[in-house]
Amino acid sequence: MTVNEGLGSRIRRLRRAAGLSQEALAKPNLSPSYISLLEAGKRIPSEEVLAQLAERLKCDPAYLIGMISKPDSVDLEIELNYAQLALRNGDSRTALKTFTALQAKLPESEQTDLHFAVEFGIAQCLEHHGELEEAVRRFEALLQQSAVQGRGMLERLGVVMLLCRCYRELGDLSHAIDVAESALSEADTEDLPPTVPQLELLSTLIGVYCERGDLHRANFLAGEAISRAEVMSDRRALGGAYWNASVVLHRRGRSSEALELIKKAVAIYAEGDDERALARVRNAQATVLLQSESPNPEVAKKLLEQSAATLRTLGSSLDVAYVEAALARAEVMLGQPENAIQHAETALRRLGPEHRLESARVHLVLAAAYLIQEDYEAVHAAYERSALLLEASEAGRQAAFAWSELGEILEKSGESERAVWAYRQGMRLMGHRGSLIADAPRRVWQD
């Protein structure tokens, strides 16, 4: 029997002797589930909590407090390293289990670096699993905690980067921009030299501005990222800057320039040993190949299949969803709608209900596959679903294109009234708010 199990047994025995239920012992400031965990030896309470329990159990506080054992810091560090390694290797399930078990061993009253690292690891695991709302809640709490504890700017930038990424995937682009811009502005006031956490956050912010359609701001930040990365010794920082700059160029229709930059990024990442990062940058290269002026779906598909093999082992659910969505697009371009639908449906299952922005794009690919099959009802449904998700995610420019594409299909299908409605939805998102013509008296034309 461990010391903690001994403490739990002692609390249980005293509670029963006092004729108290777990709910009665918990009142007024604890929960019955927490008492249950204490008695099972799955939580280490603070001395303050034990003093409260001793008062309710009518025993000397020292009788309970003396049962608390101080965890061995070396063993805890080993467990932390194991959990972090599992997370880096893509085994987020094992990592979450280890982080959670480690959290239970840490006294609640001690807010140490180890405690912060464990909380950070749990939040990262939740993001990997696609549980974005809960991940956001934990990252926000860590951000507040880091401010209270006076943690360094670099550590806070790492938290903000992941928080920004979660907000982007949830479709809350404005909030993503606000938290990122605020943190980067604060870092600039401290006059820090260019660092990897700073570059990673800047890169994430560039992606958010691209999603929102603000390509001028994205282009400016991409130039800033390259300038900062070029004076750093970290080659991966430069690769990331090239990667994000290529995304901006691609969105601005300069695909040949984007392709050159993404090739440089792939070459840099290939020098290292981060297989997951290399697979993700290859996805970006494939995306440019699929959407350039002279698309090459055959080569893109080979790159994506190579990336998929890696990401299914080392990547997160989101990583796999992205590569499945890109494979769906490649199959559409190769005239294989059945394969495209299969990949797209896999992507949607991986994304779940919280990844609104990427889900919207997958529905666009589904619409294209259904169009090849001439299933017009499914086409209309997919386009409308995509446009509504994009609009809800503040990606107005992308939503406008989705509505316009739907308008074209409705027009070709002979549904003129619905086509006009879809076109107007797109115009509204591009800033059109009605015209004088709508209010002018109609003229009766005569021959």
Side-chain angles (χ1 to χ4, degrees), residues 248-302:
V248 178
L249 288 170
H250 176 55
R251 291 288 180 90
R252 299 183 75 182
R254 296 159 61 181
S255 297
S256 58
E257 296 172 68
L259 195 55
E260 289 303 312
L261 276 186
I262 200 67
K263 284 179 180 177
K264 289 182 179 180
V266 169
I268 290 173
Y269 277 91
E271 295 172 359
D273 57 0
D274 191 336
E275 294 182 54
R276 180 191 174 203
L278 178 58
R280 292 176 65 219
V281 76
R282 280 191 177 128
N283 287 354
Q285 182 182 7
T287 299
V288 177
L289 287 169
L290 289 172
Q291 299 177 351
S292 62
E293 294 89 348
S294 302
N296 194 334
E298 293 87 357
V299 173
K301 182 180 176 181
K302 289 179 181 177

Side-chain angles (χ1 to χ4, degrees), residues 17 25 28 56 68 95 112 154 158 227-228 247 345 423:
L25 180 59
R56 296 169 200 171
I68 300 178
T112 61
L154 296 183
S227 297
R228 297 184 186 192
V247 172
E345 289 177 344
Y423 283 133

Side-chain angles (χ1 to χ4, degrees), residues 349-401:
R349 283 196 300 272
R350 285 279 188 167
L351 289 168
E354 295 187 356
H355 292 81
R356 292 188 285 270
L357 199 52
E358 183 60 17
S359 293
R361 285 190 284 262
V362 176
H363 280 292
L364 286 178
V365 178
L366 271 175
Y370 289 135
L371 186 59
I372 296 174
Q373 295 181 328
E374 299 183 352
D375 185 348
Y376 294 109
E377 186 176 345
V379 171
H380 301 167
Y383 264 114
E384 287 189 23
R385 178 65 176 159
S386 176
L388 290 171
L389 284 170
L390 287 167
E391 188 171 348
S393 301
E394 304 174 86
R397 186 183 179 89
Q398 295 179 59
F401 288 141

Side-chain angles (χ1 to χ4, degrees), residues 8-25:
S9 299
R10 183 168 290 188
I11 292 173
R12 185 188 305 110
R13 178 171 55 78
L14 291 171
R15 175 179 61 78
R16 288 174 175 173
L20 297 173
S21 65
Q22 290 182 339
E23 183 177 4
L25 180 59

